[in-house]
Amino acid sequence: MTSNPSALDPAVTERIGAFLRARGLRRTASRIQVLAVLEPVNGHLAVAEIHGRVRACLLEGAQPPDVATIYRTVTTLVDQGVLHALTLDDGVTTYGLATAPHHHAVCTQCASIIEVPARRLSTALEHAMAGSSFSLSDRAGLTLRGLCPQCQSRQTQ
């Protein structure tokens, strides 16, 4: 890995580096930084927000990766199955960790994204696919649109 002074906890850097190595991927500063930013989010971020958070976590004087590097990094991590991409109605693509299989519920008012575990919808999907010759891949996902709990509560007030 290129040595870049950063404010990332060495234990986080080592853990993410080991994760990348275990998946047969090179351990680069930008990959570690992107994953370190996305890991605590438990959701999705657009490239601009990932870039801003990476810049914020670097020590003063450290050279942050440019936006093009972040784009290339997330694209590679999506191709390798480490991240998944979700394009919202406004055309902005957001990225999240591809951990346990899940679907997405997107709020049509505030654009917040809630991850829905795949097992919760598996029976409904099986019924929907019954009788068809179509086979869903492991990466298949649904995007449900509606109102998040906060927007629902604002409407009832």
Side-chain angles (χ1 to χ4, degrees):
M1 170 174 106
T2 327
S3 73
N4 244 358
S6 76
L8 292 179
D9 180 336
V12 170
T13 300
E14 185 54 40
R15 182 174 40 74
I16 292 172
F19 168 79
L20 290 168
R21 274 194 306 272
R23 298 202 54 147
L25 299 172
R26 282 192 8 252
R27 190 185 131 128
T28 67
S30 63
R31 290 177 185 175
I32 290 171
Q33 291 164 345
V34 165
L35 292 174
V37 161
L38 284 171
E39 192 176 57
V41 169
N42 192 26
H44 298 76
L45 297 175
V47 166
E49 185 146 4
I50 293 169
H51 183 251
R53 290 183 184 206
V54 166
R55 289 178 61 100
C57 79
L58 295 177
L59 293 176
E60 192 173 320
Q63 183 64 36
D66 59 16
V67 174
T69 299
I70 300 294
Y71 270 110
R72 283 190 304 275
T73 301
V74 297
T75 299
T76 298
L77 293 173
V78 167
D79 291 345
Q80 296 299 318
V82 175
L83 298 180
H84 62 267
L86 174 65
T87 302
L88 303 176
D89 290 341
D90 60 4
V92 173
T93 301
T94 61
Y95 300 89
L97 297 176
T99 51
H102 62 273
H103 304 287
H104 302 99
V106 179
C107 182
T108 55
Q109 215 161 55
C110 71
S112 67
I113 301 168
I114 298 170
E115 294 184 353
V116 180
R119 69 184 179 287
R120 289 213 169 149
L121 294 175
S122 62
T123 304
L125 284 174
E126 287 169 13
H127 287 346
M129 299 309 297
S132 84
S133 58
F134 192 81
S135 174
L136 293 175
S137 75
D138 291 340
R139 291 189 181 184
L142 294 176
T143 302
L144 308 168
R145 288 175 171 62
L147 293 178
C148 69
Q150 290 80 14
C151 291
Q152 288 176 51
S153 68
R154 278 188 222 122
Q155 280 190 339
T156 59
Q157 294 177 355

